[in-house]
Amino acid sequence: MATQITTGTSELRDITKMERIGAHSHIRGLGLDDRLEPRENSQGMVGQAKARKAAGMILKMVQEGRIAGRAMLFAGPPSTGKTAIALGMAQTLGPDVPFTMIAASEVFSLSMSKTEALTQAFRRSIGVRIKEETEIIEGEVVEIQIDRSLTGATKTGKLTIKTTDMETIYDLGNKMIDALSKEKVTAGDVISIDKTSGKVTKLGRSFARSRDYDAMGADTKFVQCPEGEIQKRKEVVHTVSLHEIDVINSRTQGFLALFAGDTGEIKPELRNQINAKVAEWREEGKAEIIPGVLFIDEVHMLDIECFSFLNRALENELAPLVIMASNRGVARIRGTNLHSPHGLPPDLLDRVLIVSTQPYTPDDIKYIIKIRCEEEDVTLTDSALDILTHLAADTTLRYVLNLISCAQMLAKKRKSEAVEDTDIRRAYGYFFDEKRSVQWIKEQQHRLVSEEGVDFEPGSKPTGKVPAAGVEAMDES
């Protein structure tokens, strides 16, 4: 007996409207005006006026193609909007300029070397705009005649197409008849046919046929009948990254390797050949290099080998703008015993333009909380908003933003539409912030399993203490 499957309308969900709300999904741009002056609150960005203006100036130079092979560093305490500014830059650049975002720890992989991972990130951030000329047939369909054989196995037909200046009849084969049927082309449609690939594109309906029917669909588009010759030469532009060209030429499965994700290591010889070919296309005017942006978050996690590679890669002719972010002060450079500002070696610090981010003011924090509530579709009372603002000053902004959705769940249990101060207090009681967690560890230290010589001071970071001489280490577990 076959199982009956029911699909009631109440059970169906519109998946096109489902969106994952991320930590920075409210960012729409840098929030700058035409003069690159930062607006107080715009496009999801709040505060950090100097840092946003500096980012805007750099972006302007990137868009004009006047800057590449340079490095920037966003330095500031945690929760001061370094990653948000980088994402705002990506939104402002648009889809045509490549923007690659990686975390520094991503380069430490078992499948490929550190330098290969960085090389691939660099080449993802450089676009190649390739120009091709193709022949197209463009005009208004006057008539389509399709003749089928008695068995229906073969189909032949004729397509009459016109412009304002001329009219031509084309003989159609099986493939073209199928392509026209798939696009549902009828008399009165304005179409474009690519002669090399046979692709049919319906541009719209001719204005001359606008009165053929009493009722038309809302998505019906009316266009003018094309002028001039029916057959035209048209320039088509494709934008791909250097890494995509590398992968397509290095794998037997071609472009399918891009979807599999298993690109592996690519030989330097192949990259040199591709660089030479791209340089040849540039000289012939067939291609144009678009230097993009590579953003490396938590850059202090890289080691001395990676920093040496970055120094050399920035001098390369095909180098993007490299933007880094770090929340460290004076820190140890990984792979050495040396200490340096932001955990970067002095020779790399010499190359970078450093932009500092400052802690948010209470007014900025209040506005950020409002923006996040709009993004997460949460209604806050004024008293709850004030409590969250004070909490952010005492704890951290990230902790407070995480409390919003928890408090909303508690409000729903009370069958309340708005989140009130009681919901915030209950959520605050359920989930510890860092300071209270350290205080709790201090109180429960005799019951917890902990490492020898590690001590926690209330309200501070863990500090290592050397055990007293002559005292044997004892396991308190």
Side-chain angles (χ1 to χ4, degrees):
M1 183 178 177
T3 307
Q4 188 178 4
I5 300 173
T6 58
T7 56
T9 53
S10 60
E11 297 171 10
L12 294 175
R13 299 181 68 188
D14 188 0
I15 59 171
T16 58
K17 293 184 179 177
M18 289 173 62
E19 283 187 7
R20 182 184 176 276
I21 299 172
H24 298 100
S25 55
H26 61 284
I27 303 294
R28 307 282 183 266
L30 282 173
L32 305 174
D33 59 19
D34 295 335
R35 295 179 296 113
L36 299 181
E37 290 297 329
R39 302 187 190 98
E40 190 176 348
N41 304 303
S42 177
Q43 296 181 319
M45 297 297 294
V46 181
Q48 306 297 351
K50 285 185 180 179
R52 284 195 284 144
K53 181 161 184 177
M57 290 165 61
I58 294 293
L59 274 195
K60 191 72 175 172
M61 289 188 278
V62 169
Q63 289 168 334
E64 293 174 358
R66 289 164 49 192
I67 186 170
R70 307 281 184 88
M72 278 181 71
L73 173 67
F74 286 108
S79 300
T80 53
K82 297 182 293 295
T83 308
I85 292 173
L87 288 168
M89 293 173 80
Q91 295 281 354
T92 307
L93 282 172
D96 289 337
V97 180
F99 186 96
T100 308
M101 185 172 181
I102 64 168
S105 51
E106 286 179 35
V107 305
F108 300 101
S109 166
L110 294 175
S111 60
M112 66 179 76
S113 65
K114 295 175 283 189
T115 52
E116 174 65 21
L118 283 171
T119 303
Q120 290 191 11
F122 262 70
R123 291 178 76 84
R124 275 195 202 100
S125 310
I126 300 166
V128 183
R129 191 176 283 142
I130 302 168
K131 300 172 187 174
E132 288 180 336
E133 276 199 351
T134 182
E135 282 195 1
I136 62 165
I137 297 168
E138 192 173 271
E140 179 187 333
V141 178
V142 178
E143 188 183 10
I144 299 179
Q145 291 179 347
I146 298 174
D147 301 320
R148 290 178 173 83
S149 63
L150 291 173
T151 58
T154 58
K155 293 179 283 188
T156 58
K158 290 185 178 181
L159 171 69
T160 308
I161 195 167
K162 71 167 187 177
T163 64
T164 54
D165 299 333
M166 60 186 296
E167 186 173 313
T168 310
I169 299 173
Y170 290 96
D171 291 328
L172 300 175
N174 271 337
K175 286 187 177 179
M176 282 306 302
I177 290 170
D178 291 340
L180 290 167
S181 302
K182 188 179 178 182
E183 290 293 323
K184 299 178 182 175
V185 174
T186 57
D189 288 338
V190 178
I191 63 169
S192 171
I193 304 172
D194 189 333
K195 284 189 74 175
T196 53
S197 63
K199 183 183 177 184
V200 178
T201 307
K202 196 190 315 190
L203 304 176
R205 189 110 184 126
S206 174
F207 274 114
R209 301 294 190 105
S210 60
R211 297 185 180 274
D212 282 6
Y213 304 101
D214 293 334
M216 303 289 278
D219 56 347
T220 304
K221 181 183 175 184
F222 290 100
V223 294
Q224 293 285 358
C225 180
E227 299 176 351
E229 297 280 334
I230 289 177
Q231 290 194 36
K232 302 171 185 173
R233 293 189 70 82
K234 189 177 180 182
E235 192 178 74
V236 182
V237 178
H238 310 282
T239 304
V240 292
S241 70
L242 279 178
H243 176 66
E244 288 168 347
I245 300 174
D246 293 344
V247 172
I248 290 168
N249 287 280
S250 68
R251 290 285 174 270
T252 52
Q253 65 265 42
F255 72 96
L256 293 176
L258 292 170
F259 301 101
D262 183 22
T263 57
E265 298 227 5
I266 297 168
K267 294 179 181 177
E269 295 83 7
L270 176 69
R271 287 201 174 110
N272 292 335
Q273 290 174 12
I274 289 169
N275 290 348
K277 192 67 180 174
V278 169
E280 185 184 317
W281 288 345
R282 284 177 69 187
E283 288 178 8
E284 294 172 1
K286 290 182 181 177
E288 181 186 349
I289 299 293
I290 310 166
V293 177
L294 170 62
F295 177 67
I296 306 175
D297 207 358
E298 307 292 340
V299 71
H300 51 266
M301 295 299 294
L302 296 179
D303 61 11
I304 192 67
E305 296 171 15
C306 297
F307 288 130
S308 299
F309 175 83
L310 278 179
N311 259 326
R312 179 69 187 86
L314 286 170
E315 295 174 355
N316 198 337
E317 183 187 355
L318 295 174
L321 170 69
V322 179
I323 298 176
M324 302 172 279
S326 174
N327 57 17
R328 294 292 193 268
V330 176
R332 188 174 67 85
I333 304 166
R334 283 191 66 173
T336 71
N337 291 322
L338 302 173
H339 286 71
S340 179
H342 314 298
L344 273 69
D347 53 344
L348 183 60
L349 277 174
D350 223 17
R351 290 178 181 271
V352 301
L353 296 168
I354 301 175
V355 179
S356 64
T357 55
Q358 307 299 325
Y360 288 110
T361 64
D363 290 339
D364 290 341
I365 290 171
K366 182 177 281 191
Y367 205 88
I368 290 169
I369 294 169
K370 284 182 182 178
I371 291 172
R372 290 303 303 173
C373 288
E374 287 175 13
E375 185 73 13
E376 297 180 24
D377 201 15
V378 176
T379 306
L380 276 182
T381 61
D382 292 339
S383 57
L385 180 61
D386 291 337
I387 288 174
L388 284 175
T389 307
H390 289 304
L391 268 181
D394 292 338
T395 58
T396 62
L397 179 59
R398 286 174 181 162
Y399 171 73
V400 166
L401 296 181
N402 286 331
L403 276 189
I404 294 172
S405 53
C406 301
Q408 185 192 26
M409 187 62 67
L410 293 170
K412 281 182 179 177
K413 286 186 71 177
R414 292 191 301 104
K415 297 184 178 175
S416 171
E417 293 293 326
V419 174
E420 297 178 1
D421 48 358
T422 53
D423 303 314
I424 301 293
R425 288 193 176 93
R426 285 179 67 191
Y428 180 74
Y430 291 143
F431 302 102
F432 278 7
D433 60 283
E434 184 193 10
K435 287 182 182 177
R436 286 187 296 154
S437 178
V438 170
Q439 178 65 38
W440 181 82
I441 289 173
K442 185 72 176 175
E443 292 169 359
Q444 303 291 331
Q445 194 171 8
H446 61 287
R447 296 180 184 173
L448 296 172
V449 179
S450 58
E451 286 190 31
E452 179 67 27
V454 178
D455 187 27
F456 286 90
E457 296 294 337
S460 67
K461 301 290 182 187
T463 56
K465 290 188 176 179
V466 181
V471 178
E472 291 188 4
M474 296 177 64
D475 189 359
E476 294 184 358
S477 61

